Amino acid sequence: MKIAVAGTGYVGLSLAVLLSQHNEVHALDIVAEKVEKINNYQSPIQDDEIERFLAEGKAGERELDLHATVEVEEAYAGADYAVIATPTNYDSDKNFFDTSSVEAAIAAVRSVNPDAWIVIKSTIPVGYTAGLRERLGDSKIFFSPEFLRESKALYDNLHPSRIVVGAPKEDAEAVAAP
């Protein structure tokens, strides 16, 4: 299975590394230096588990099918799933999440791949996904909350305190999705 991950911060990179053990993963980022580090098995963020997994991958002790890129087409073409893990800065004065990076990532996925399931892992307001699905007419967009700590993201993915998964009951395709 091919999985694309948009964003290589704590959420995106931890998921990319984790999923690349059993899937082809293409991590997309807009920062070329981060992409280069990842492709050289170096973590651009401080996380002991991510650093260990990448070092083991480089040494041939752990199989990781992970490739980072700045190219949208390369990341999303042929992907079964696209995970969106882009920043959504919160403005406490306006009580507002800036979801522009999420919407830009979704538009980029759809420009290349109209069939991929899109899983939003970014922090978003309540009701955002339902509104987005309706506005875009796209029933293949889902939200999966993340419960990760900085510097412990991969550890927290490996040992989750909770897992939340769901789909609208009336959406048979979503309920049956692998």
Side-chain angles (χ1 to χ4, degrees):
M1 178 178 315
K2 180 179 178 183
I3 301 170
V5 178
T8 59
Y10 286 103
V11 175
L13 187 57
S14 64
L15 286 169
V17 169
L18 178 70
L19 294 169
S20 72
Q21 294 179 101
H22 302 289
N23 302 279
E24 175 188 352
V25 176
H26 290 249
L28 177 71
D29 204 285
I30 60 172
V31 180
E33 294 80 16
K34 288 175 79 173
V35 166
E36 184 178 346
K37 279 188 168 194
I38 294 165
N39 287 333
N40 287 315
Y41 296 93
Q42 298 172 336
S43 179
I45 58 176
Q46 196 287 310
D47 184 298
D48 292 342
E49 292 294 317
I50 290 173
E51 292 170 12
R52 180 172 66 85
F53 274 51
L54 290 174
E56 290 171 356
K58 185 174 186 173
E61 299 165 357
R62 179 180 300 274
E63 190 171 329
L64 299 176
D65 190 354
L66 174 62
H67 175 75
T69 183
V70 295
E71 300 296 329
V72 168
E73 175 81 25
E74 184 179 349
Y76 298 138
D80 299 292
Y81 289 89
V83 178
I84 309 300
T86 60
T88 52
N89 298 322
Y90 179 70
D91 183 333
S92 59
D93 292 335
K94 295 179 181 178
N95 192 26
F96 174 79
F97 281 98
D98 178 2
T99 57
S100 60
S101 69
V102 172
E103 294 195 30
I106 290 170
V109 171
R110 288 297 180 242
S111 74
V112 174
N113 187 335
D115 299 318
W117 291 92
I118 296 175
V119 181
I120 301 171
K121 293 295 284 186
S122 300
T123 303
I124 55 174
V126 174
Y128 175 80
T129 305
L132 189 65
R133 287 169 54 110
E134 186 175 322
R135 183 167 43 92
L136 298 177
D138 192 332
S139 62
K140 287 189 160 188
I141 300 174
F142 292 90
F143 173 65
S144 174
E146 55 86 11
F147 306 103
L148 307 177
R149 299 168 291 167
E150 286 187 13
S151 301
K152 296 287 185 191
L154 183 51
Y155 179 88
D156 289 344
N157 271 318
L158 291 166
H159 309 281
S161 62
R162 57 197 162 278
I163 299 172
V164 179
V165 179
K169 290 183 282 187
E170 65 279 358
D171 188 339
E173 185 182 17
V175 171

